[in-house]
């Protein structure tokens, strides 16, 4: 049994928007504290530039991938390969692999970029990816696989 779960373009945008929102909230908090602490002034143009930059980060990479990551040379942008022997995370063609028999823990953790699914093996190797990288059905499949791995 080998199952490849691939992130959809829409889910890519949702995941990217979530991460940017979390990071932007952190930046906004830091900027607000600095403004109040040092009595600094911000004009409206600076806010517009920041919003355009955020929109650029959220939208351009998925559009670029949709246009150029096609055909025979297409790489898996974000996916998980579940097999009887291993758990493999694929990000833009690069793989991270954990032996299924050595997985000791998986959990939802919070980091700078929001919720992440964290999977750890006996050697303390950890794979992390965004909680919203996959849709609800895909997350259920991944979670069921991981729960089954812990019971074996």
């Amino acid at each position: 049994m080998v199952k490849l779960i691939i992130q959809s373009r829409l889910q890519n945008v949702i995941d990217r928007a979530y991460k940017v929102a979390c990071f932007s909230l952190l930046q906004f908090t830091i900027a607000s504290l600095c403004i109040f602490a040092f009595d600094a002034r911000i004009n409206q143009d600076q806010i517009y530039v920041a919003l355009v930059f955020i929109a650029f980060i959220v939208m351009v990479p998925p559009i670029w991938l949709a246009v150029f990551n096609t055909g025979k040379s297409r790489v898996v942008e974000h996916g998980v390969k579940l097999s009887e022997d291993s758990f493999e995370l694929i990000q833009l063609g690069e793989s991270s692999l954990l032996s299924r028999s050595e997985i000791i823990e998986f959990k939802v953790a919070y980091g700078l970029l929001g919720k992440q699914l964290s999977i750890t093996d006996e050697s303390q190797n950890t794979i992390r990816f965004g909680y919203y990288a996959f849709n609800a059905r895909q997350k259920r499949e991944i979670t069921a696989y991981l729960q089954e791995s812990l019971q074996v």
Side-chain angles (χ1 to χ4, degrees), residues 22-39:
C22 289
F23 190 69
S24 297
L25 183 61
L26 176 66
Q27 295 297 322
F28 176 76
T29 303
I30 291 169
S32 297
L33 291 173
C34 289
I35 288 169
F36 289 124
F38 301 113
D39 195 30

Side-chain angles (χ1 to χ4, degrees), residues 21-81:
C22 289
F23 190 69
S24 297
L25 183 61
L26 176 66
Q27 295 297 322
F28 176 76
T29 303
I30 291 169
S32 297
L33 291 173
C34 289
I35 288 169
F36 289 124
F38 301 113
D39 195 30
R41 301 282 179 223
I42 297 179
N43 64 35
Q44 221 169 6
D45 292 339
Q46 291 170 318
I47 294 171
Y48 290 140
V49 168
L51 291 175
V52 168
F53 181 71
I54 290 168
F56 181 82
I57 288 174
V58 171
M59 295 307 296
V60 170
I63 291 170
W64 183 85
L65 288 167
V67 172
F68 294 109
N69 190 23
T70 59
K72 292 179 183 175
S73 62
R74 183 172 195 252
V75 297
V76 174
E77 297 163 20
H78 203 94
V80 171
K81 189 183 291 185

